[in-house]
């Protein structure tokens, strides 16, 4: 009897597994050897779209050929390396037909039929229209081919079995193009199409669940990414000044916002290298969309935060600020000079998590990041964890009415340690 | 290889990107008007302009200034006749002089942002530039005198 039950169970398991692998199976698409030619206008359109998708941001590493891959994406599950998407036939996507390219973007399946990991944001790219996919294909296939073999991912068993990704897709992936929303105008829809699809804003700004899928009920609510915080893009954003359409437009176009700070960390390349390719109209449509998402129109603008609320404030922190920071950050009137970022308004000081402020104090801002051509010095060598903790605590208490940050010294030590790894 | 401009001239230099800009300016490029004070961005003696903003060169790694325009005290005016330098000479601000190139660079940047600075503005912006000879009273007077001259030139 027992033997029969075990045998029965085994058969069920085998059938189940078999069924799963049949469902997970995707055919390889034929390799193309034909050298396609593309209309220059289509390539030019693809270049702009590749900027919107910030393809280069993840598919290029410093010192290597553009789009040749190798960028390490450290996830909770292991490290996954981006792949070579130049048209090299052996190590890139030179043998991919447009149909294969389209299936990769819209369904997350490689030409050989293997499932892609969702670090490649096909859950967003599935919304891209077929026309835009053609333009992206034309652009990618006309890049200089680079012979750079893909790196091997560092994923533990069984996550290294790509077929299992079919299960993840079953749970979390919904294939389908962007659907226009009739209750919004064309600009809003264009902004939503770009933001939800190609620009995949949610990939960084939406928190993920335990299995790494974006939590749709928390869309754009802010999340940690690469040792930085991608702030909330919804009404939960704690900035005292609203992210109005005008503020978003200037920030996304120039990387500098007079009230919220500048684009640094992972957002720097998004603005400087990616979105820089887009037309003003497209940037404005993204600003229109997010001004609606964050409810800027109904944002009750806070009274100017207390600039000299000195209760409980450390004298050490105040002295460090006076010596090291005030020469650049002091303002005497409204609106603040955007090249003198006003720390009472700044995102880094108002976020619930001090990570971004700590990162900037430790490493400064290069001429290529943030406001172009100007820098902030780096204090990693000059200030101890205790010094930076006192400075951050002073700024938090004297510039905002928000709860003080707990355990700052440990947070600073942790961020220093993450970088050494 | 890091490329930037120093006092208007292109510089290409192949040294460790973590090297402080101050060392590059003084030891590699031979401009010694910019001084070492504390080395941790707390005293202002090493102040130069990067992209027109007063910047502590001792705590700015070379790699951060790729593509930027750097001006030192030597590049402020070909004849040392910037209105701030003239005011400094007229009022005999320096005593030992060690911190003064940093003071002048900070004051020039101050006057770009605050063309008629109040005492409060001067205190806030200049507080990070220390002077062991206590020339602060004359620094304040010279900034105000330069503001008047710069205001009259720009209006005139």
């Amino acid at each position: 009897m027992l033997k029969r039950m075990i045998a029965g169970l085994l058969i069920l398991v085998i059938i189940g597994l078999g069924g799963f692998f049949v469902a997970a199976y995707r055919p390889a698409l034929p390799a193309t050897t034909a050298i396609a030619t593309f209309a220059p206008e289509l390539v030019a359109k693809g270049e702009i779209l590749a900027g919107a998708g910030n393809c280069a941001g993840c598919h290029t590493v410093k010192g290597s050929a553009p789009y040749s891959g190798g960028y390490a994406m450290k996830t909770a599950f292991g490290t996954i390396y981006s792949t070579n998407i130049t048209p090299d036939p052996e190590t890139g996507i030179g043998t991919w037909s447009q149909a294969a390219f389209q299936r990769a973007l819209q369904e997350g399946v490689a030409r050989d039929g293997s499932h892609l990991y969702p670090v490649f944001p096909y859950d967003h790219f599935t919304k891209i229209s077929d026309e835009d996919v053609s333009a992206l294909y034309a652009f990618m296939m006309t890049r200089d081919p680079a012979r750079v073999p893909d790196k091997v991912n560092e994923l533990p068993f069984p996550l290294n079995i790509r077929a299992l990704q079919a299960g993840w897709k079953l749970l979390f992936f919904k294939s389908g193009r962007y659907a226009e929303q009739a209750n919004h105008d064309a600009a809003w829809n264009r902004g939503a199409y770009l933001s939800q699809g190609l620009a995949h804003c949610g990939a960084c700004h939406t928190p993920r669940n335990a299995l790494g899928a974006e939590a749709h009920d928390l869309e754009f609510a802010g999340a940690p990414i690469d040792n930085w915080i991608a702030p909330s893009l919804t009404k939960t954003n704690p900035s005292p000044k609203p992210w109005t359409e005008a503020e978003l437009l200037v920030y996304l176009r120039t990387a500098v916002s007079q009230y919220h700070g500048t684009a640094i960390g992972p957002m720097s390349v998004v603005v400087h290298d990616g979105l820089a390719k887009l037309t003003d109209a497209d940037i404005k449509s993204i600003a229109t969309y997010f001004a609606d998402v964050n409810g800027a129109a109904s944002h009750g603008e806070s009274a100017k935060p207390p600039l000299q609320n000195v209760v409980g404030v450390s004298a050490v922190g105040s002295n460090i600020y006076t010596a090291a920071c005030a020469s650049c950050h002091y303002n005497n009137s409204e609106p603040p000079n955007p090249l003198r970022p006003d720390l009472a308004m700044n995102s880094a000081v108002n976020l619930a998590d001090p990570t971004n402020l700590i990162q900037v104090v430790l490493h400064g801002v290069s001429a290529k990041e943030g406001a172009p051509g100007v820098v902030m010095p780096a204090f990693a060598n000059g200030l101890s964890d205790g010094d930076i903790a006192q400075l951050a605590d002073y700024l938090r208490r004297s510039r905002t009415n928000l709860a003080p940050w707990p355990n700052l010294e440990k947070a600073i030590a942790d961020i220093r340690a993450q970088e050494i790894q | 290889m890091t490329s930037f401009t120093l006092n208007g001239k292109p510089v290409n230099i192949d040294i460790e990107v973590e090297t402080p800009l101050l060392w590059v300016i003084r030891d590699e490029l031979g401009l010694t008007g910019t001084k070492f004070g504390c080395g941790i961005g707390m005293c202002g003696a090493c102040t130069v302009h990067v992209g027109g903003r007063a910047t502590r060169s001792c705590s700015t790694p070379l790699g951060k200034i790729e593509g930027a325009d750097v001006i030192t005290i030597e590049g402020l005016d070909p004849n040392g006749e910037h209105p701030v330098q003239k005011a400094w000479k007229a009022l005999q601000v320096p005593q030992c002089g060690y911190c003064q190139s940093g003071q002048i660079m900070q004051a020039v940047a101050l006057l770009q942002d605050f063309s008629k600075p109040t005492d409060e503005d001067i205190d806030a912006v200049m507080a990070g530039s220390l002077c062991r000879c206590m020339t602060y009273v004359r620094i304040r007077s010279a900034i105000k005198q330069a503001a008047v001259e710069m205001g009259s030139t720009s209006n005139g």
Side-chain angles (χ1 to χ4, degrees), chain B residues 51-70:
Chain B
R53 317 298 304 173
T55 304
R56 309 291 188 243
S57 60
C58 73
S59 38
T60 299
L62 174 64
K64 297 267 179 201
I65 61 147
E66 168 71 38
D69 296 322
V70 180

Side-chain angles (χ1 to χ4, degrees), chain B residues 23-156:
Chain B
W23 300 137
V24 178
I25 291 169
R26 288 181 57 90
D27 296 352
E28 306 292 330
L29 304 170
L31 296 183
T32 54
T34 308
K35 304 300 184 196
F36 174 86
C38 66
I40 58 170
M42 294 289 147
C43 80
C46 66
T47 302
V48 299
H49 291 178
V50 177
R53 317 298 304 173
T55 304
R56 309 291 188 243
S57 60
C58 73
S59 38
T60 299
L62 174 64
K64 297 267 179 201
I65 61 147
E66 168 71 38
D69 296 322
V70 180
I71 302 287
T72 65
I73 186 75
E74 292 90 346
L76 204 50
D77 181 274
N79 305 310
E81 295 285 322
H82 186 282
V84 172
Q85 289 170 305
K86 285 182 1 198
W88 241 250
K89 276 180 263 185
L91 295 182
Q92 299 195 10
V93 174
Q95 290 188 28
C96 89
Y98 193 81
C99 70
Q100 297 294 331
S101 69
Q103 300 279 0
I104 290 170
M105 297 309 280
Q106 184 66 64
V108 170
L110 162 77
L111 289 167
Q112 284 164 4
D113 287 349
F114 307 96
S115 57
K116 288 178 188 154
T118 62
D119 284 351
E120 191 195 354
D121 296 336
I122 293 173
D123 288 352
V125 176
M126 301 300 292
S129 295
L130 304 185
C131 172
R132 299 319 295 163
C133 308
M134 299 289 147
T135 62
Y136 300 119
V137 176
R138 290 192 186 191
I139 286 173
R140 177 176 297 182
S141 305
I143 288 172
K144 289 190 169 172
Q145 183 163 317
V148 171
E149 191 192 332
M150 288 166 79
S152 62
T153 1
S154 61
N155 295 336

Side-chain angles (χ1 to χ4, degrees), chain A residues 121 124-128 178 191-201:
Chain A
H124 293 275
F125 294 167
T126 191
K127 299 197 176 195
I128 303 172
Y178 176 77
Y193 167 73
L194 288 169
S195 307
Q196 295 173 12
L198 187 49
H200 60 286
C201 307

Side-chain angles (χ1 to χ4, degrees), chain A residues 52-294:
Chain A
N54 190 30
C55 308
C58 284
H59 282 282
T60 306
V61 287
K62 211 178 166 188
S64 198
Y67 302 107
S68 65
Y71 180 86
M73 286 165 287
K74 290 178 184 165
T75 73
F77 312 97
T79 299
I80 301 177
Y81 294 94
S82 68
T83 53
N84 182 344
I85 54 166
T86 72
D88 181 64
E90 283 172 50
T91 61
I93 60 167
T95 59
W96 289 38
S97 63
Q98 185 167 322
F101 184 82
Q102 180 157 344
R103 184 174 72 168
L105 261 65
Q106 294 178 343
E107 308 296 330
V109 178
R111 188 191 69 78
D112 65 5
S114 60
H115 289 279
L116 297 169
Y117 292 107
V119 284
F120 172 66
Y122 64 83
D123 50 339
H124 293 275
F125 294 167
T126 191
K127 299 197 176 195
I128 303 172
S129 70
D130 295 358
E131 299 91 295
D132 282 353
V133 170
S134 316
L136 283 162
Y137 182 69
F139 175 70
M140 289 318 311
M141 297 315 265
T142 48
R143 296 309 89 205
D144 288 333
R147 210 188 135 74
V148 180
D150 288 337
K151 286 189 183 171
V152 179
N153 294 329
E154 292 150 22
L155 286 172
F157 178 83
L159 298 174
N160 55 353
I161 301 171
R162 284 182 179 270
L164 294 181
Q165 289 300 313
W168 191 92
K169 286 179 175 174
L170 208 60
L171 291 172
F172 304 118
F173 175 57
K174 191 165 164 284
S175 169
R177 310 298 87 76
Y178 176 77
E180 295 266 327
Q181 296 205 11
N183 56 336
H184 289 288
D185 65 11
W188 188 99
N189 271 295
R190 176 70 180 163
Y193 167 73
L194 288 169
S195 307
Q196 295 173 12
L198 187 49
H200 60 286
C201 307
C204 291
H205 286 275
T206 300
R208 291 174 186 272
N209 66 20
L211 290 175
E214 289 174 32
H216 288 295
D217 52 334
L218 292 172
E219 192 178 26
F220 303 131
I225 176 78
D226 290 351
N227 300 335
W228 288 79
I229 300 295
S232 167
L233 307 178
T234 72
K235 65 178 187 316
T236 61
N237 184 295
S239 295
K241 292 278 184 180
W243 272 106
T244 60
E245 183 182 309
E247 272 286 288
L248 284 160
L249 174 61
V250 172
Y251 173 77
L252 294 172
R253 189 80 287 183
T254 67
V256 182
S257 145
Q258 63 182 343
Y259 290 125
H260 301 93
T262 62
I264 48 176
M267 191 63 184
S268 178
V269 291
V270 173
V271 175
H272 288 299
D273 302 341
L275 298 180
K277 300 271 200 288
L278 267 63
T279 62
D280 288 348
D282 274 349
I283 295 287
K284 190 159 187 294
S285 71
I286 295 174
T288 302
Y289 172 66
F290 279 112
D292 180 48
V293 166
N294 73 33

Side-chain angles (χ1 to χ4, degrees), chain A residues 316-317 320 382-393 409 412, chain B residues 40:
Chain A
V316 176
I320 292 172
L383 297 179
S384 68
D385 293 355
D387 293 335
I388 297 173
Q390 302 241 32
L391 173 62
D393 184 59
E409 270 199 64
I412 295 157
Chain B
I40 58 170

